[in-house]
Amino acid sequence: MFNPNYLALSIAVSLSAFSQMTFAKQSDEIETIEVTGRAQQFYLETESKIGTKTNLDLIKLPQSAQVLTEQLIIDQAARDITDLYRSIAGVSEYSYSGVTFRGFRDDANVFYDGVRGDPYSGFGVPQLFNVERVEVLKGPASALYGGGEPGGMINYVTKKPSYLEKRELKLTLGNYNTRGASLDMTGGLSDTMAYRLGGFYEEQDSFRNNADSKNTELTGGLLFDLSDSTTLTTSVDYIKQDLGGNRLRGVPVDDNGNFLVDPSYNANESFDYQDMEALVLQAELNHSFSDDFSVSSTVRYLDNERDQAYHESQNWVDVNGDGVANIDDETIRREYRKQFRANEEISLTTDFVYNVEQGNLEHQFLFGGDYHVVETQYDYLRARYEADGVANLNIYTLNYGETDPSTYNLTDLDRDGVDTDRFGVYAQDVISIGEQWTVIAGLRYDYFKELNKETGFSYSDNGVTPRVAVTYQPIENTSVYINYSESFNPTSSGDQEDVVGEGNLDPETGKQTELGMKNRWFDGKIMSTFAVYQINKENVVMSNPDDTGAG
């Protein structure tokens, strides 16, 4: 997706600044005015929970990880996650908001505040208005987070209520008719309660024909200090995303990969759309039993709907009548797809952390579990080619507007949805041996169950994923590490059902060995990571082109 450059005007007012101002009395006192500014910014976050679910200095983490801070998001004028992919090593954009981690496409390993429940799942494009920072862990993450591809995971840390009095208004103008505004407010309601309230709207056209976008987000939250050792943070997030002509399938090319037409080409009509609406409710409870023993529990509810209709390029039409359909004919067939998808999800994650010292050893034990249930809906209608009323498209002389979906002969493909249950328990020990050595060992058990509502077929599976790693710091600003980790990803019920004997496909598994070095430079302002890794993926499900079905 093309990301335009933005011109942004921001107005920020902090009430706390006014409340702390003191005016010099009419006396001999000298009024002091302090001016602070930022001459240079290094976007380094030194600690994160992404790799261990506990706070750990990134130089001690025996895995490649990257944290994109709020200041980086602001300075890059990033509006959605696609604006940030260029800043993440080893991660590339696949399509829409989908990414490839270390060579493996993965749209499912997306977390918010460490739990599952992606409101933009499917073909939405995650916005960053409600995001404080973006964390990326590269390599298998199943030992802590459950089933997924072995390439990595992404975690969005959302903005929270705060006692800091802040009122921030931003107005945005940019090319391609980009325009928008946002308002973000935080502050204390009492000595034990704080809030956050925000709203965002932005719309823009695209360099692609018949494509545009409108994004709306309303968010709020309350922070309750229930006691000196207990806090409850709640939030509500309403998201609406309307993407016109968004199912972009690329631009026709010749055998050498050269564009046949201008990159603005789009097979969609001006009335094609993808609309998404989501509601997210979340609550996080933190309690400290003592200085060394604490628990954190997060529950997240998600309800979203995605409605889309679009024209899909298929193959060439033999316009010349020579019996061969190719680029010389200049005209393509299209099919029309009208789809409705909906997800209702509940995620619950609870982690206990216990710290203990034994002589020269410091243990940080993590015990936890998570539960994730998803109920999906899926309706799919399709019309194919001129036989069903879908007009062909000349790629050079674009004949948009000559087709009408209300006249199409739509076929209901009788799709439905799936019900999925995931449950996992895990344990981990982070062992610090003196100042130089860090050892991490962890193990997770997963149980997975899925029902295909279309066919009534269901199956269940389970898996165990280990992780072990060692980090050595010969000097304070340098570390070397070795890491072995595995991934677990159950096979879908649709694939299982197609197998003779039904349900006998093993889960896909991945194994990674990673060797790396991290260095902090310029008094800790910059950190570099050099990693060499090998990932082997096994039990990969592939279609058999010679399969003619049960005989």
Side-chain angles (χ1 to χ4, degrees):
M1 178 178 291
F2 181 83
N3 298 308
N5 297 318
Y6 295 97
L7 170 66
L9 170 65
S10 298
I11 303 171
V13 178
S14 176
L15 295 185
S16 61
F18 290 102
S19 64
Q20 295 174 8
M21 290 180 63
T22 57
F23 297 94
K25 298 179 180 179
Q26 292 181 352
S27 64
D28 295 334
E29 295 181 14
I30 300 176
E31 181 179 2
T32 301
I33 300 176
E34 181 178 350
V35 178
T36 60
R38 180 166 63 92
Q40 191 173 22
Q41 175 68 46
F42 297 93
Y43 307 102
L44 178 63
E45 187 74 37
T46 58
E47 285 190 351
S48 175
K49 292 184 177 181
I50 184 68
T52 59
K53 287 200 169 190
T54 59
N55 284 323
L56 184 68
D57 192 332
L58 287 175
I59 201 168
K60 296 179 180 293
L61 178 66
Q63 200 165 350
S64 181
Q66 193 168 348
V67 179
L68 306 180
T69 64
E70 183 178 13
Q71 191 61 57
L72 176 64
I73 295 173
I74 293 172
D75 288 356
Q76 288 194 357
R79 295 301 188 271
D80 61 59
I81 186 58
T82 63
D83 294 325
L84 294 180
Y85 287 147
R86 61 180 180 270
S87 301
I88 309 174
V91 174
S92 59
E93 183 178 0
Y94 181 84
S95 62
Y96 312 106
S97 63
V99 293
T100 299
F101 295 97
R102 291 188 167 179
F104 294 92
R105 181 187 177 185
D106 195 346
D107 301 328
N109 256 3
V110 178
F111 293 75
Y112 280 76
D113 297 317
V115 298
R116 293 185 185 272
D118 178 12
Y120 296 94
S121 60
F123 303 100
V125 181
Q127 303 297 295
L128 298 176
F129 167 70
N130 196 37
V131 173
E132 180 178 289
R133 67 181 184 273
V134 179
E135 302 175 327
V136 180
L137 184 67
K138 301 160 192 177
S142 292
L144 285 178
Y145 296 99
E149 293 290 334
M153 62 163 287
I154 188 167
N155 180 51
Y156 297 95
V157 179
T158 61
K159 296 177 182 178
K160 304 296 193 301
S162 171
Y163 287 99
L164 174 66
E165 298 286 347
K166 183 181 72 171
R167 309 286 188 272
E168 188 174 71
L169 172 66
K170 291 185 178 181
L171 305 176
T172 302
L173 295 173
N175 52 352
Y176 295 102
N177 293 321
T178 299
R179 52 203 178 276
S182 66
L183 177 64
D184 204 349
M185 301 184 294
T186 60
L189 297 174
S190 69
D191 292 340
T192 58
M193 185 185 302
Y195 78 96
R196 175 173 180 259
L197 188 64
F200 169 83
Y201 176 80
E202 186 171 276
E203 61 181 64
Q204 66 179 24
D205 294 330
S206 171
F207 76 101
R208 300 291 295 273
N209 298 336
N210 300 329
D212 56 43
S213 66
K214 296 179 181 178
N215 285 280
T216 303
E217 186 166 4
L218 302 174
T219 182
L222 292 173
L223 167 64
F224 302 91
D225 285 322
L226 304 179
S227 70
D228 292 339
S229 57
T230 306
T231 62
L232 174 65
T233 304
T234 63
S235 65
V236 57
D237 194 15
Y238 170 78
I239 303 167
K240 193 173 191 307
Q241 184 173 85
D242 298 331
L243 305 178
N246 186 63
R247 292 301 297 272
L248 308 173
R249 293 300 196 185
V251 178
V253 297
D254 61 20
D255 292 339
N256 296 318
N258 301 310
F259 286 149
L260 294 174
V261 291
D262 189 85
S264 62
Y265 169 86
N266 185 1
N268 287 302
E269 296 286 338
S270 61
F271 44 76
D272 290 351
Y273 62 89
Q274 176 182 291
D275 297 339
M276 185 273 289
E277 190 171 14
L279 176 66
V280 181
L281 305 176
Q282 182 171 299
E284 180 180 351
L285 181 67
N286 291 283
H287 176 72
S288 296
F289 299 99
S290 67
D291 291 340
D292 297 321
F293 186 34
S294 63
V295 61
S296 176
S297 187
T298 302
V299 60
R300 182 176 176 89
Y301 170 81
L302 164 66
D303 185 7
N304 79 339
E305 296 181 353
R306 292 98 68 200
D307 193 12
Q308 59 187 6
Y310 62 98
H311 289 77
E312 174 96 352
S313 299
Q314 290 300 306
N315 46 38
W316 297 105
V317 180
D318 182 14
V319 176
N320 296 329
D322 57 4
V324 178
N326 55 36
I327 61 176
D328 294 331
D329 293 292
E330 303 180 358
T331 301
I332 59 169
R333 288 188 177 94
R334 293 181 297 175
E335 71 176 31
Y336 178 75
R337 300 178 182 180
K338 184 174 176 60
Q339 300 169 328
F340 172 81
R341 294 178 173 90
N343 282 21
E344 187 174 14
E345 307 181 27
I346 298 177
S347 294
L348 174 63
T349 298
T350 299
D351 294 318
F352 292 88
V353 179
Y354 180 61
N355 297 293
V356 61
E357 294 187 20
Q358 293 180 327
N360 198 36
L361 301 180
E362 294 182 8
H363 293 268
Q364 188 179 61
F365 294 105
L366 170 73
F367 306 94
D370 53 45
Y371 176 67
H372 183 220
V373 57
V374 184
E375 181 180 355
T376 70
Q377 293 177 254
Y378 184 24
D379 298 324
Y380 186 4
L381 303 176
R382 185 182 68 187
R384 307 196 77 183
Y385 315 142
E386 288 184 308
D388 287 335
V390 185
N392 298 327
L393 182 69
N394 187 300
I395 66 171
Y396 296 105
T397 306
L398 295 167
N399 52 314
Y400 295 128
E402 296 182 1
T403 192
D404 182 1
S406 66
T407 65
Y408 292 171
N409 178 29
L410 292 170
T411 300
D412 190 341
L413 298 184
D414 294 324
R415 299 294 171 83
D416 202 336
V418 297
D419 292 342
T420 304
D421 290 292
R422 294 172 179 254
F423 170 75
V425 291
Y426 45 88
Q428 175 186 265
D429 187 10
V430 179
I431 309 170
S432 298
I433 308 173
E435 297 292 331
Q436 295 182 305
W437 293 90
T438 302
V439 179
I440 298 178
L443 191 69
R444 178 183 172 108
Y445 169 80
D446 274 287
Y447 174 79
F448 179 93
K449 180 173 66 176
E450 183 171 288
L451 166 67
N452 189 320
K453 295 191 294 184
E454 178 185 341
T455 63
F457 174 78
S458 66
Y459 92 107
S460 60
D461 213 331
N462 61 81
V464 175
T465 46
R467 174 195 187 192
V468 61
V470 178
T471 302
Y472 173 63
Q473 284 184 264
I475 56 177
E476 181 181 1
N477 291 320
T478 299
S479 68
V480 293
Y481 65 87
I482 186 170
N483 174 16
Y484 174 80
S485 52
E486 296 185 5
S487 67
F488 160 86
N489 204 16
T491 304
S492 71
S493 58
D495 289 331
Q496 291 280 7
E497 192 174 11
D498 289 338
V499 178
V500 176
E502 294 188 352
N504 59 0
L505 291 178
D506 292 331
E508 294 183 350
T509 58
K511 298 179 181 180
Q512 175 189 265
T513 301
E514 179 177 343
L515 179 65
M517 172 182 289
K518 298 182 180 182
N519 286 279
R520 286 191 293 226
W521 309 88
F522 306 112
D523 296 325
K525 295 182 176 65
I526 296 176
M527 187 172 73
S528 62
T529 301
F530 173 79
V532 178
Y533 59 89
Q534 178 174 323
I535 300 177
N536 294 325
K537 188 176 176 182
E538 299 177 346
N539 302 325
V540 179
V541 177
M542 300 292 291
S543 298
N544 181 2
D546 296 327
D547 183 13
T548 58

